[in-house]
Amino acid sequence: MTEPLTRSVGSRQRIEDLERPALDDRSYRIITLPNQLEVLLIHDAETDKASAALDVNVGSFSDAKDMPGIAHAVEHLLFMGTEKYPKENAYNQYLTSHSGHSNAYTASTSTNYYFELAASSSSPADKKTSQSNTTQEQLPVLKEESPLWGALDRFGQFFISPLFLEDTLDRELKAVDSENKKNLQSDTWRLHQLNKALSNPNHPYCHFSTGSYKTLHDDPIARGVKIRDEFINFHAKHYSANRMKLVILGRESLDTLEEWAEEIFSQVPNKDLSRRRWDDVSVYTDNELLTQTFARPVFQSRSLDLSFLYRDEEEFYESHPARYLSHLIGHEGPGSILAYIKAKGWANGLAAGGTSLCPGSGLFNISVKLTEDGLEHYKEVTKIIFQYIAMVRAQPPQKWVVDEQIRMSEVDFRFRQKMPPSRTTSALAAVMQKPYDRKMLLSGPAVIRKFDAERLSQAMAYLRPDNFRLNIVSQDFPGGWDQKEQWYGTEFKSDKIPEEFLVEIREAFENPTRPAELHFPHKNEFIPNRLEVEKKKVETPLKTPKLIRHDEGVRTWYKKDDQFWVPKANVNIIFRTPMIYLTARTVVMSALYRDLVNDALVEYAYDADISGLIYEFNSYMSGLALSVEGYNDKLHVLLEKVLLSIRDLEVREDRVKIVHERMTRQFYNVDFGQPFHQVGNYSRWLKNEKGLLTEQLMKELEDITALDIRNFYPQILAQCHIEVLAHGNLRKEEALQITNLVENTMKPKRLPPSQWPIRRSLILPPGSNFIYERQLKDPANVNHCIEYMLYLGTTADRSLRAKILMIAQMTDEPAFNQLRTIEQLGYVVFSGSSITDTWAGYRILIQSEKDCRYLEGRIEHFLTTFEKILDEMSEEDFEGHKKAVINKRLEKLKNLTEEGNRFWNHIFSDAYDFLSHDEDAKHLTPLTKQDVQTCFSHYISPSSPHRAKLSVHLIAQAKPKEPTPEEKKAQAITQFTTILTAENITADLPTLQSRIDAIPNTPDTMASIVTAISAHLTEDLKLGKETVDKVLDEAKAALGLADVGKVASPEVLKNGDVEKAVKESDGTTPVLIEDVHAWKAGLQMSTGVRPVRDLGEFVEGAAKL
Ligand SMILES: [Zn+2]
């Protein structure tokens, strides 16, 4: 605690002495407003972002049985206008103009809303020159000057006087519906819902929490329910100040923040609602316990899950009993369940942990990732788990185990570093709903304080053979799934566990003779002891590492931490070689080798992992990369062991079989992922000189043997260049010792720089208009996906980069508003810059049920409209956007990891552009609106003959259900209303309704609807031609009827004569790429990535940069 504060409100209780991490320089205050809204205020003088979060103690567990998803729908609708700020996107526009963003989620007993934006209205660039020695007391506290105040006022109104604007209702329900559709093919959602569906139907855990258009709109309307009233009622019934927890984080003093919180949030109505509990109903009753469920996943995956009826432990946060059980059962070191079943070739992974579902209920889950063999032996695996549990239960709770956990949890809390502000506020608002002692709000969830033998014994008693359920997930075992889950359609079958199997489980559990391989873990040698930090204050932290060794075979980059002061370090190493990316076969062999090394290290590395020391070993296009990160005390121990495993890997047939099978499944599963996750693979393949598709890798994988890997891997390491980054709480000598360790262990032959891989991308010539089409392999998926990319030039052109960043910023909100909100093309809409190795571009990505050529047309239409928006943009708005981008580029590093990753990315990319953020800001500052307009009209505007476009179309096989003519009419009216609202036009709904009702139900209902809308605009509303055209075009777009013109019939590029194709098509007719190899061969290549400055300048002692 620093300053003793004078208090304006005498009687209010203020809690300020929260337990906090050693390095936490924030100050905290907890108050309760007169309306019983509890508020946590966080003052952070150094933060560049401010944030607030509000958590309401109501969620999907309170959904009405006949309206699943209503809590989630209210979360979406609450943000649709307030009395004070009736414009529905007022909040988001405000946030975007201050480099901000917002989000919300609905959980089972909580709904959590949050935002983040610039903490100050000046950008860090101006600050440096004007107010370098300003202290926080002198910072402005004028409301008008603080972006935070404006955001809080807009945010607060949602809880004070939300309007639930009628005309946004349908659209937000559509958003909920497409959110649900996006999850339909996801096994995480499907299997989670299946478990819920099979729990006690009287416990709210069984609810379907997302909701859909059917559950929130069609079904209730069919029952005669006025849905808007239902949403308002839900809000009236459950939202109350005393159920809300607010967290505000900003630069302003605690007193100022307190005043603001009071002024805005004490207006939130208080209804004195109680905190809900579910004590009298069990998640599993005798009906659900001792059942086995076999479920069929979308992905090729196999798992076995045991789910025990457990308890809610939110009151037991001083001892966290479930963590004793998850530590032992989830252990991966010698003696553990995983080590034993992995050695038998039955499992690839295991996780265990307790979850509090709600006040009054909890579960304890054990989940095992099975191999093919493991699936055949799932009964044995189950019995082994029970043998291990019995082994643990045979001993009283072990104090030394808990002592290790206490020690590690304290160290982790003590050296915890800052997270981004909105993660801090959102997480803390949720934590405040729990019964922690207020002084332990920060530490409570993290730290184990005491060994409580009694509570541990109680906890162990839940894990019994008569108190669990069993789930098996597999695509082909055992077959005969005779049921379908209601919401996601997951096929499954479920019955009681056969008595013979239960007898075997009980016998395994009760028999005191157990495999010798199962035992308690050994003492953990990786728990750090040496936690001293050598703190040398510096004026300004260094922005680049130094090159402390720079010879023919090795480079070592080093920076001692000068701002975060944690006893941690990052060491990154690349073994640079062209050997990996020679052919698809070498890529796959390298990947298998990587997996085998990681597989061999599971048991050893586990203790380090739970002691905050992790390693990562991976293979990339430019070589093998290894990183070790965490507490620096034992870092070298782990590093040495990993290096030896990399060098001396014993390639065992049995492990190859398992790793090979797992990779086959991973490759196979790529095709069943979300289309917007798949599209990047094709885009990268097309954009870069070298690139491979999963299908190419898959073909090679088929016949690679253990012998192939055994012969191949030593060649990768025999000759390579080593580059090291050592960063953090390390001395220079240690960095050099680490380098020696790497070099002396691997002893590679030197690889001359002339043989190092070069990164290049293709250059799309001006006038390019290419489309690459691909059908998606998942027959059940109804979503198409387009990635529309414009090539502007090379990444090395800093001024061009700055312009792209500006265009990305300015189109961000309008693209989302137009393509997602107004035209309702789909839930996934991204737009922004795409700046990779040497490719500097702009892109728009949409995942939608509408087809790709249609989407292509809508994107071009948006870009054309945006050109006008840009022309009309005021200088003030332009400058505001500029400030927002500069703020983002100059955002402060939050912790040592972020800094380490930034350095490593610049080294790994071969550009060594450590100052790229500052350079971008420098090139943004002088940009004029004219500069950006010129850039836009030359490179991006669809009417420009100079632009270079490439788009990838992923085409779905399945078709969404065709709506009935009545549905089409109803849909048309709501979509049309949405558009009019966005255009600020007042509709005459009854007149339009009667026009539409008069349309007969024929196959061309849609065309008649458009005619009716057009007549309504001109004859009823008497709007001018320009407005009519615009609105009509948007209406057609939303109905899927927009004229997509030229895009409909691309030419086909056959012989790879790109030059000729570009010349003939003149940029206006798209050209379809059929033979990618020929197409690439017809294109020029960019220059390679090169260091932005001579590396000699980074050598320690070199002339100042
Ligand atoms: Zn949502």
Side-chain angles (χ1 to χ4, degrees):
M1 289 313 310
T2 48
E3 71 274 61
L5 297 154
T6 46
R7 280 83 204 267
S8 48
V9 189
S11 60
R12 173 171 294 163
Q13 194 202 357
R14 295 186 177 84
I15 303 167
E16 298 190 339
D17 48 345
L18 274 63
E19 281 181 3
R20 68 189 64 192
L23 301 151
D24 190 345
D25 54 3
R26 290 168 172 161
S27 41
Y28 299 86
R29 179 184 294 175
I30 301 170
I31 56 164
T32 303
L33 298 175
N35 58 357
Q36 298 308 303
L37 199 162
E38 192 184 20
V39 187
L40 168 63
L41 307 164
I42 307 175
H43 161 70
D44 185 337
E46 302 288 318
T47 190
D48 53 355
K49 287 282 167 98
S51 169
L54 191 143
D55 191 282
V56 192
N57 174 216
V58 63
S60 60
F61 278 15
S62 303
D63 281 356
K65 263 231 148 97
D66 55 3
M67 252 177 114
I70 184 166
H72 178 213
V74 169
E75 172 226 299
H76 277 247
L77 291 165
L78 189 71
F79 277 59
M80 293 302 122
T82 61
E83 279 173 22
K84 188 165 177 187
Y85 299 100
K87 231 179 107 191
E88 47 150 309
N89 59 348
Y91 172 61
N92 278 321
Q93 261 179 359
Y94 183 87
L95 293 176
T96 313
S97 65
H98 291 93
S99 328
H101 57 86
S102 70
N103 213 337
Y105 69 81
T106 304
S108 46
T109 63
S110 256
T111 310
N112 194 291
Y113 303 87
Y114 56 91
F115 69 82
E116 178 173 302
L117 82 179
S120 142
S121 52
S122 61
S123 67
D126 334 328
K127 209 185 77 192
K128 229 181 286 160
T129 49
S130 64
Q131 38 170 204
S132 55
N133 55 1
T134 318
T135 64
Q136 52 103 351
E137 281 77 21
Q138 292 165 302
L139 280 171
V141 287
L142 284 176
K143 287 171 186 170
E144 302 73 47
E145 288 179 19
S146 165
L148 176 60
W149 161 264
L152 283 175
D153 197 36
R154 282 163 184 80
F155 183 67
Q157 301 307 317
F158 295 123
F159 306 96
I160 298 166
S161 56
L163 291 176
F164 291 93
L165 289 174
E166 174 92 59
D167 45 19
T168 63
L169 192 79
D170 195 73
R171 195 185 67 212
E172 280 309 308
L173 296 180
K174 285 271 170 55
V176 168
D177 194 59
S178 55
E179 194 178 334
N180 179 52
K181 282 197 179 123
K182 172 179 72 71
N183 301 337
L184 285 181
Q185 289 299 99
S186 150
D187 280 326
T188 315
W189 286 89
R190 292 167 71 94
L191 298 169
H192 182 56
Q193 186 62 38
L194 179 61
N195 285 338
K196 285 160 57 119
L198 296 175
S199 66
N200 179 3
N202 296 317
H203 192 287
Y205 183 58
C206 71
H207 290 175
F208 166 50
S209 56
T210 314
S212 66
Y213 200 68
K214 187 171 181 306
T215 69
L216 295 162
H217 182 276
D218 296 351
D219 291 353
I221 287 180
R223 291 194 306 268
V225 171
K226 289 214 158 79
I227 52 172
R228 180 162 176 264
D229 294 352
E230 284 305 303
F231 298 127
I232 294 174
N233 288 342
F234 184 93
H235 178 263
K237 191 171 156 199
H238 295 293
Y239 277 57
S240 165
N242 77 312
R243 274 190 177 173
M244 297 179 184
K245 306 290 175 186
L246 171 67
V247 181
I248 305 177
L249 184 155
R251 271 197 208 179
E252 290 77 7
S253 72
L254 289 175
D255 285 348
T256 304
L257 294 174
E258 180 171 337
E259 252 170 58
W260 293 0
E262 171 105 42
E263 184 177 340
I264 299 166
F265 290 90
S266 46
Q267 300 171 57
V268 178
N270 180 22
K271 301 164 194 161
D272 269 323
L273 303 178
S274 60
R275 182 171 192 240
R276 291 195 67 179
R277 296 192 59 87
W278 286 267
D279 290 304
D280 43 358
V281 50
S282 180
V283 194
Y284 298 150
T285 67
D286 287 346
N287 283 331
E288 292 83 29
L289 286 169
L290 302 188
T291 52
Q292 57 181 13
T293 303
F294 298 90
R296 186 160 193 247
V298 173
F299 272 12
Q300 281 202 359
S301 67
R302 284 179 297 258
S303 64
L304 172 150
D305 302 272
L306 302 185
S307 176
F308 292 84
L309 185 61
Y310 195 66
R311 63 183 175 188
D312 132 45
E313 293 192 329
E314 58 179 26
E315 300 282 349
F316 310 151
Y317 60 86
E318 288 188 293
S319 54
H320 289 289
R323 280 164 63 179
Y324 177 75
L325 297 174
S326 58
H327 173 73
L328 294 172
I329 296 169
H331 211 283
E332 299 180 5
S336 66
I337 299 172
L338 181 67
Y340 185 45
I341 55 181
K342 183 169 165 274
K344 286 181 174 287
W346 292 346
N348 284 319
L350 184 149
T355 38
S356 284
L357 300 177
C358 59
S361 324
L363 293 175
F364 191 92
N365 297 307
I366 302 171
S367 178
V368 184
K369 286 205 172 77
L370 297 172
T371 60
E372 272 179 315
D373 227 17
L375 184 63
E376 274 169 35
H377 294 90
Y378 82 90
K379 290 186 175 170
E380 280 84 345
V381 173
T382 309
K383 285 185 276 178
I384 290 167
I385 293 172
F386 275 99
Q387 285 178 317
Y388 187 90
I389 291 172
M391 188 275 296
V392 171
R393 289 186 48 159
Q395 306 288 326
Q398 300 291 299
K399 185 160 183 307
W400 69 271
V401 172
V402 177
D403 284 343
E404 279 188 354
Q405 288 187 287
I406 290 177
R407 164 85 180 150
M408 211 47 238
S409 73
E410 283 171 351
V411 169
D412 277 338
F413 181 68
R414 189 170 144 207
F415 296 105
R416 183 194 283 175
Q417 301 180 76
K418 283 183 188 173
M419 290 187 302
S422 62
R423 269 176 64 198
T424 306
T425 56
S426 166
L428 282 170
V431 166
M432 285 171 78
Q433 298 287 7
K434 306 255 149 80
Y436 291 104
D437 178 328
R438 281 3 219 170
K439 295 186 178 170
M440 299 180 192
L441 266 190
L442 307 177
S443 55
V447 175
I448 301 176
R449 282 159 211 280
K450 64 177 188 194
F451 170 68
D452 186 332
E454 196 189 324
R455 292 219 195 286
L456 294 180
S457 300
Q458 291 163 0
M460 295 196 310
Y462 285 93
L463 308 190
R464 306 185 307 266
D466 64 345
N467 192 41
F468 78 105
R469 292 163 43 93
L470 175 77
N471 290 326
I472 302 284
V473 175
S474 160
Q475 275 199 340
D476 31 44
F477 175 83
W481 303 275
D482 52 2
Q483 286 178 274
K484 263 193 182 169
E485 189 276 320
Q486 183 183 1
W487 305 109
Y488 293 79
T490 308
E491 292 175 80
F492 71 98
K493 70 174 178 185
S494 186
D495 47 22
K496 283 284 174 187
I497 299 175
E499 187 52 32
E500 318 83 80
F501 185 23
L502 279 178
V503 168
E504 288 177 43
I505 291 173
R506 278 198 295 270
E507 137 68 27
F509 185 68
E510 281 154 18
N511 190 343
T513 322
R514 287 179 283 263
E517 287 89 344
L518 296 180
H519 56 79
F520 272 85
H522 303 300
K523 191 168 169 293
N524 185 350
E525 302 292 345
F526 277 101
I527 293 177
N529 296 315
R530 212 165 42 97
L531 295 168
E532 296 78 30
V533 174
E534 201 192 328
K535 208 165 165 173
K536 263 195 217 145
K537 264 281 176 205
V538 291
E539 275 288 300
T540 34
L542 283 180
K543 289 186 172 178
T544 63
K546 291 275 178 210
L547 201 42
I548 57 170
R549 184 171 159 192
H550 185 29
D551 52 45
E552 291 185 324
V554 181
R555 268 183 211 148
T556 303
W557 296 88
Y558 165 71
K559 185 191 159 185
K560 184 184 150 10
D561 174 34
D562 54 8
Q563 51 183 331
F564 300 110
W565 315 121
V566 280
K568 295 184 178 179
N570 318 307
V571 172
N572 296 76
I573 303 153
I574 177 159
F575 301 101
R576 186 174 280 119
T577 166
M579 283 292 288
I580 293 174
Y581 225 80
L582 292 175
T583 61
R585 198 169 183 86
T586 57
V587 170
V588 179
M589 285 195 291
S590 307
L592 285 166
Y593 162 61
R594 167 204 66 200
D595 284 0
L596 288 165
V597 168
N598 290 328
D599 179 74
L601 281 164
V602 170
E603 288 83 0
Y604 177 83
Y606 186 73
D607 275 343
D609 192 318
I610 59 172
S611 312
L613 187 58
I614 50 170
Y615 85 92
E616 211 183 294
F617 175 57
N618 218 333
S619 76
Y620 295 97
M621 196 182 241
S622 52
L624 294 171
L626 165 64
S627 69
V628 184
E629 179 191 336
Y631 295 103
N632 56 281
D633 183 18
K634 311 270 167 71
L635 189 144
H636 60 284
V637 180
L638 180 64
L639 176 62
E640 181 164 10
K641 173 76 183 183
V642 176
L643 286 169
L644 289 172
S645 301
I646 291 172
R647 189 189 70 187
D648 302 333
L649 176 76
E650 184 201 339
V651 181
R652 283 170 39 188
E653 300 278 348
D654 58 337
R655 298 320 296 174
V656 171
K657 180 169 166 264
I658 286 167
V659 165
H660 189 280
E661 193 275 332
R662 190 171 59 197
M663 191 175 290
T664 308
R665 274 188 292 139
Q666 283 162 352
F667 284 164
Y668 172 87
N669 287 340
V670 168
D671 289 330
F672 290 81
Q674 294 268 9
F676 79 98
H677 289 148
Q678 297 183 44
V679 75
N681 298 333
Y682 295 100
S683 308
R684 275 190 298 276
W685 174 56
L686 291 165
K687 277 155 64 174
N688 294 328
E689 177 184 16
K690 292 180 182 174
L692 291 162
L693 290 177
T694 314
E695 62 201 34
Q696 298 166 313
L697 302 176
M698 206 161 172
K699 205 159 274 158
E700 296 304 325
L701 177 61
E702 282 165 15
D703 63 354
I704 293 176
T705 63
L707 183 65
D708 292 330
I709 305 167
R710 210 174 283 140
N711 291 336
F712 175 66
Y713 91 79
Q715 300 176 51
I716 312 178
L717 293 158
Q719 188 180 23
C720 56
H721 175 253
I722 298 175
E723 188 146 358
V724 179
L725 167 70
H727 162 246
N729 189 36
L730 293 172
R731 282 174 291 112
K732 185 178 162 191
E733 301 73 60
E734 289 172 296
L736 291 169
Q737 279 161 13
I738 286 170
T739 310
N740 288 339
L741 174 68
V742 176
E743 196 182 11
N744 296 336
T745 310
M746 299 316 205
K747 295 201 176 67
K749 194 170 171 329
R750 188 172 76 86
L751 180 75
S754 57
Q755 295 175 43
W756 296 358
I758 299 175
R759 297 166 194 266
R760 295 175 192 272
S761 52
L762 299 167
I763 295 175
L764 293 188
S768 293
N769 185 353
F770 292 107
I771 295 178
Y772 178 71
E773 287 184 343
R774 199 59 193 239
Q775 190 176 59
L776 287 159
K777 290 210 179 109
D778 180 357
N781 174 42
V782 295
N783 285 309
H784 308 277
C785 184
I786 180 172
E787 183 165 10
Y788 181 103
M789 296 169 280
L790 293 165
Y791 172 77
L792 276 76
T794 156
T795 317
D797 180 346
R798 295 205 192 266
S799 171
L800 178 68
R801 276 168 68 126
K803 287 173 204 156
I804 297 174
L805 293 173
M806 271 305 282
I807 292 168
Q809 157 76 21
M810 293 187 298
T811 52
D812 183 52
E813 200 267 346
F816 193 81
N817 189 50
Q818 184 67 31
L819 300 170
R820 183 175 145 180
T821 310
I822 295 182
E823 302 191 7
Q824 301 157 48
L825 298 176
Y827 187 78
V828 180
V829 173
F830 293 139
S831 68
S833 61
S834 83
I835 297 180
T836 50
D837 290 343
T838 58
W839 170 290
Y842 174 82
R843 66 165 189 156
I844 295 184
L845 182 155
I846 305 174
Q847 177 171 308
S848 169
E849 288 182 15
K850 302 220 164 89
D851 78 66
C852 290
R853 291 192 187 177
Y854 184 74
L855 299 173
E856 176 112 5
R858 295 323 297 163
I859 291 172
E860 310 231 306
H861 174 263
F862 163 72
L863 294 174
T864 308
T865 359
F866 183 77
E867 200 171 6
K868 263 189 241 127
I869 301 181
L870 181 58
D871 285 344
E872 288 158 16
M873 185 180 287
S874 70
E875 284 300 326
E876 196 191 342
D877 284 352
F878 179 83
E879 289 302 317
H881 281 303
K882 201 201 278 183
K883 200 160 64 192
V885 195
I886 295 178
N887 274 333
K888 264 185 226 158
R889 293 309 283 163
L890 297 183
E891 207 164 281
K892 280 169 79 168
L893 291 161
K894 300 279 176 309
N895 52 52
L896 191 73
T897 308
E898 271 188 24
E899 185 180 37
N901 288 343
R902 180 178 288 184
F903 288 161
W904 186 243
N905 288 337
H906 289 310
I907 295 170
F908 191 79
S909 75
D910 301 334
Y912 305 88
D913 195 5
F914 301 111
L915 300 175
S916 69
H917 289 75
D918 298 86
E919 288 291 338
D920 284 342
K922 215 193 284 173
H923 287 80
L924 279 157
T925 310
L927 283 188
T928 64
K929 193 182 134 189
Q930 184 61 51
D931 295 334
V932 177
Q933 272 175 302
T934 310
C935 175
F936 194 95
S937 60
H938 187 88
Y939 290 111
I940 295 186
S941 168
S943 64
S944 165
H946 309 290
R947 64 177 209 148
K949 191 221 79 184
L950 164 65
S951 48
V952 177
H953 293 182
L954 298 186
I955 300 162
Q957 292 188 41
K959 284 211 167 47
K961 193 176 110 291
E962 174 76 3
T964 64
E966 277 80 15
E967 284 168 338
K968 282 182 188 164
K969 289 179 183 174
Q971 219 176 30
I973 292 180
T974 51
Q975 285 174 324
F976 183 61
T977 326
T978 301
I979 293 164
L980 290 188
T981 315
E983 300 287 353
N984 284 317
I985 299 169
T986 319
D988 176 1
L989 283 181
T991 320
L992 175 67
Q993 185 79 51
S994 58
R995 279 187 185 274
I996 288 192
D997 285 345
I999 299 170
N1001 293 340
T1002 60
D1004 31 284
T1005 307
M1006 285 304 245
S1008 314
I1009 292 175
V1010 174
T1011 319
I1013 289 177
S1014 165
H1016 178 62
L1017 291 168
T1018 34
E1019 294 164 27
D1020 305 338
L1021 301 181
K1022 308 220 181 320
L1023 300 168
K1025 180 165 185 320
E1026 200 175 320
T1027 321
V1028 171
D1029 287 350
K1030 178 156 193 281
V1031 173
L1032 202 59
D1033 188 53
E1034 285 172 347
K1036 283 186 192 164
L1039 294 171
L1041 289 176
D1043 182 11
V1044 289
K1046 310 148 200 157
V1047 185
S1049 52
E1051 310 259 315
V1052 177
L1053 175 76
K1054 289 224 171 69
N1055 51 10
D1057 192 347
V1058 174
E1059 211 173 316
K1060 185 156 161 270
V1062 168
K1063 202 177 277 169
E1064 283 171 5
S1065 80
D1066 194 23
T1068 52
T1069 317
V1071 179
L1072 207 58
I1073 304 168
E1074 279 199 338
D1075 179 341
V1076 172
H1077 190 263
W1079 176 74
K1080 281 190 174 187
L1083 287 171
Q1084 306 254 359
M1085 209 65 69
S1086 73
T1087 52
V1089 183
R1090 284 162 298 174
V1092 294
R1093 61 175 85 226
D1094 189 303
L1095 294 189
E1097 293 177 30
F1098 294 102
V1099 173
E1100 219 187 15
K1104 264 266 174 250
L1105 294 178

